[in-house]
Amino acid sequence: MAESLTDTKQVQELLNRVAGLDQRGGDERLKRIVHRVATEMCRIIEEFDVTPTEFWTAVSYVTRLGQANEVGLLVPGLGIETFLDVVMDEKERRAGLEGGTPRTIEGPLYITDAPLAKGEARLDQDPERGEALFVEGQVTGPGGKPVPGAIVDVWHANTKGGYSFFDPSQSPWNLRRRIETDAEGRYRFRTIMPSGYGCPPDGPTQHLLSAIGRHGQRPAHVHFFVEAPGFRKLTTQINIAGDKYLHDDFAFATRDGLIPEVERHDDPAEIKARGLNEPFATIRFDFQLNREAASLPEAVVVREHAKAA
Ligand code: BEZ
Ligand code: FE
C-alpha cells in the first residue's frame, strides 16, 4: 500500500510548523492539540479523498454555523456534550465518588440571573394556555440530609418548544426562575407542561443532521442547576415520561434516574383545590447533591451564556 501522504517528511514538517512545535514560545499542551487536529484533518482528507470543492463547502458550513449562532446546538447533536459528561462521571468514579442525582447536559439555552424566589415560584407568566404542571421536591446531601438555602435554577420550553430570550414571542424570564430551598430543603413551582425542542428546520444544524439521516428533536424536558455551599454543582434535566422522543433525543441527554413519573389529576375536587378548572399534572423530583472535596474534578463549568438584553 502506498505511504500515507500525511506521514511523509514533507507533511510532518508542515504540521510541526502549523502547530508551532518548531517555536520556543506558546502553550505546549495547546500546540499538541493543534497538531492533532491538523493531522486528523489531513488524514480525513486523504482517507475520504475529500475534494477541494467538498472541503470549501465544509468551510462555508462552519462559517454559517457560527453566523447562525448554532455551534452550541451542533455540539450536543454530535454527542460531544454528552461525552464531556461521560468523562466527568468517570473521573468522579475513579476519585471514589458514588451516588447523587445523575448529571446531564446543560444545552445552549440557559440565561444567567433569573428572578430569585424563596421556596416556591410560578414560572409561566405569559398568557399561553397549557396543561398546568406542579413540580416539587427536596434537595438533600449524602444520606438524605436536607439542604436548606440551595438554589434550584430552573428553565424550560413553552408548549411550542421555544425558550424565552431565544423566542421573541415570549416575555423576558418566562419559564425561568431561581428558587431557594426552604428550611427542609424543599422547592416547588407551578408552570405549564413543556413541549420538546426542535432544531430550527432551516438552520445549519438541521441541515447536517438531515444529510446523515437524523432528526433534530428533543423530548420534553426541564433543566436544572442545583447549587449550595459545600456541595458540588449539579447540572441536570428531567424528561417527561411518555414523550415520543424520550429515548431518541438528538442531544443524547436522557438518562436513567431522570424520568420521574408524571401524575395526571382529573378529580374535580383536586382541580378546584388548586384553583384550576382543568385537569393538571404533578411531578415529584428530589435532588441529591454530592459533597465538594478538593480531590474531585471541578464541577463548575465556565461557559459563555447569552445575556438577558
Ligand atoms: C435544549 O436543552 O433544549 C437543547 C439542548 C441541546 C441542543 C439543543 C437544545
Ligand atoms: Fe432544553
Side-chain angles (χ1 to χ4, degrees), residues 78-94 102-105 235 251-255 297:
L78 295 182
I80 311 299
E81 200 169 343
T82 295
F83 184 68
L84 293 174
D85 284 343
V86 170
V87 170
M88 185 61 87
D89 286 351
E90 180 61 13
K91 283 186 178 172
E92 288 182 345
R93 197 188 62 76
R94 287 186 192 167
R103 62 166 53 81
T104 194
I105 70 164
T235 301
F252 309 102
T254 307
R255 294 189 74 165

Side-chain angles (χ1 to χ4, degrees), residues 106 109 155-157 163 197 218 221 223 237:
E106 174 188 322
L109 301 166
W155 72 104
H156 69 81
Y163 285 79
Y197 171 92
R218 299 210 58 208
H221 60 276
H223 296 263
Q237 306 177 23

Side-chain angles (χ1 to χ4, degrees), residues 218-282:
R218 299 210 58 208
H221 60 276
V222 178
H223 296 263
F224 298 94
F225 286 141
V226 187
E227 282 183 275
F231 293 91
R232 288 174 71 69
K233 178 174 176 177
L234 173 68
T235 301
T236 198
Q237 306 177 23
I238 55 173
N239 289 303
I240 305 300
D243 191 292
K244 170 175 175 208
Y245 293 103
L246 186 60
H247 295 291
D248 186 20
D249 177 3
F250 103 94
F252 309 102
T254 307
R255 294 189 74 165
D256 289 347
L258 299 178
I259 311 170
E261 195 183 331
V262 180
E263 276 190 63
R264 253 72 199 201
H265 306 261
D266 57 8
D267 173 44
E270 277 189 81
I271 291 171
K272 191 158 172 251
R274 295 270 187 175
L276 302 170
N277 44 33
E278 282 178 348
F280 62 96
T282 56

